Structures are given as structure tokens and as C-alpha cells.
Amino acid sequence: EAQVTQNPRYLITVTGKKLTVTCSQNMNHEYMSWYRQDPGLGLRQIYYSMNVEVTDKGDVPEGYKVSRKEKRNFPLILESPSPNQTSLYFCASSDRKEGNPSNQPQHFGDGTRLSIL
Amino acid sequence: RKEVEQDPGPFNVPEGATVAFNCTYSNSASQSFFWYRQDCRKEPKLLMSVYSSGNEDGRFTAQLNRASQYISLLIRDSKLSDSATYLCVVNRGRSNYQLIWGAGTKLIIKP
């Protein structure tokens, strides 16, 4: 089954304790992306990756890191989490058409609800 | 001005009614337009892409007005299962790989 898998689904942790949210897709998609969603706001892009070893900042990258060592995996790292990073996080992947993945539907993981105390 | 704006609603609509949403976007270079549906903080799912000529999928019709920079979604004969938040999504331009998401319009269909 084609899917995007995120882990964990829920996490409550404390300020400053490094954490990683994993994301894996089995569709051989080149493009992967991380979003956060907060009440009253649309999904905001944190980082995206066009291919292995290629990552770029989205609109809200501060406080986050990513890596893309393999095509299928795109982990999101919070080196020193803070309460303002409490949010619902989504990982997404898509194919590329005419070179531009934003022409294609995004396939989302189930989301990770993160609470930083 | 936000890059993508939607009326947050909620729209409370009786079952069987027709409902329409609009979404405005600010970047005239935007090339790709989508409507996604999101149920109660679950993952967004693609409802339909929006093409220049307009397109229809069953009870759903999407329209694009480039001159006025808005897209619309029409739902006919609404069902209880249509209750959800509808997200308008626009890309930033041909050479830009980012999608910009509206905050969503909440729709509640009542029996």
C-alpha cells in the first residue's frame, strides 16, 4: 500500500530535550516536505527536499533541522524544542511533473501531535 | 495581505443544499491550484485540482478566475459526510516548489 509513515503519532516532552520525528514514504517520490499546522493558520512549510542530499528552507524553518540521506526518509529534528513548537506536524511527499512537484498532489502522513512543556 | 485567504466559516448548511466557497490568492505567478479536504485534524486529502477551464467531479465543481485571482468550490446536494474543513492550496509560481495553504473553511452539514 502506498503510504507516508510518520512516527511518533503523539509526543509530550520537555523544553530542550532533542527529539526526532521520522517520516518514510514507499512511493519512490523525489519531493518530501514538512509542515506544521496551528489553529487559525494554514499549513506552513518548515523544510522541503527535492531529492537525496538536497534540502531547502520553507517559510518557518527556525528551530528545525532535516536530512535526506535516502530517498524514502526525511526526518525532522528539533535540537532544542521550545513551547512555541507545540503543534501538529505533517510530512508529505509527491512526484514531480515537468520538474515541479507543486503541480502534483501531496500525499500526507497521519500527523504527529507534539507538545513541548 | 495573506498569500491565500479563505473565509474560515463555519458554514452551517442543511443536507441537500448547495454551498460555495471562494479563495483568493495574491501571487499572479501562481500556476497550480488545489482543493484539499481535512477531517477533524487528520491529514489533508486531495479533493480536486483546479484547471483553467474549470472542472467537475460528481457533486463538486471547481473554478479558477485568474483575472480576479480567486478559485471557487461548489458542492451540490450536500451530504452529512461532506462536513469537513476545505483547504485552498496554491503554488508560488512555475519555478517555485512551494505550496501555500489557506487556513481552511469549515463546513458543517446538518440533517
Side-chain angles (χ1 to χ4, degrees), chain A residues 55-71:
Chain A
T55 62
D56 283 291
K57 294 179 180 179
D59 293 320
V60 289
E62 295 78 20
Y64 304 94
K65 287 173 58 177
V66 292
S67 68
R68 189 90 182 273
K69 295 189 173 69
E70 306 163 284
K71 197 171 189 178

Side-chain angles (χ1 to χ4, degrees), chain B:
Chain B
R1 183 185 173 190
K2 290 183 180 177
E3 288 184 88
V4 176
E5 291 202 73
Q6 296 183 250
D7 183 335
F11 284 36
N12 290 282
V13 175
E15 192 175 9
T18 295
V19 60
F21 308 134
N22 276 347
C23 164
T24 59
Y25 62 95
S26 62
N27 188 343
S28 59
S30 295
Q31 299 284 324
S32 304
F33 309 90
F34 306 92
W35 283 103
Y36 278 74
R37 170 195 169 126
Q38 186 175 28
D39 293 290
C40 199
R41 304 290 272 177
K42 292 191 175 179
E43 77 277 16
K45 292 184 179 177
L46 179 69
L47 181 64
M48 56 199 305
S49 302
V50 186
Y51 303 118
S52 296
S53 55
N55 47 302
E56 188 173 308
D57 182 2
R59 298 181 293 109
F60 299 85
T61 300
Q63 296 279 350
L64 167 64
N65 185 318
R66 285 191 186 274
S68 300
Q69 294 184 203
Y70 75 84
I71 65 173
S72 63
L73 177 67
L74 184 76
I75 306 175
R76 289 181 299 279
D77 187 24
S78 53
K79 313 290 184 192
L80 294 175
S81 57
D82 294 333
S83 296
T85 296
Y86 290 83
L87 306 174
C88 169
V89 188
V90 175
N91 82 336
R92 278 202 172 124
R94 187 185 298 277
S95 301
N96 190 299
Y97 303 141
Q98 290 184 271
L99 290 169
I100 308 303
W101 295 71
T105 297
K106 186 171 184 177
L107 174 64
I108 300 170
I109 306 297
K110 299 192 169 182

Side-chain angles (χ1 to χ4, degrees), chain A residues 59-116:
Chain A
D59 293 320
V60 289
E62 295 78 20
Y64 304 94
K65 287 173 58 177
V66 292
S67 68
R68 189 90 182 273
K69 295 189 173 69
E70 306 163 284
K71 197 171 189 178
R72 63 183 291 125
N73 295 324
F74 190 45
L76 179 70
I77 302 156
L78 284 71
E79 292 272 3
S80 183
S82 62
N84 64 11
Q85 292 177 298
T86 293
S87 188
L88 177 59
Y89 290 85
F90 288 106
C91 178
S93 73
S94 70
D95 208 345
R96 291 172 65 173
K97 181 177 179 183
E98 300 171 359
N100 191 336
S102 68
N103 291 331
Q104 297 299 297
Q106 304 284 299
H107 298 261
F108 283 86
D110 289 339
T112 295
R113 194 171 291 278
L114 190 57
S115 294
I116 314 292

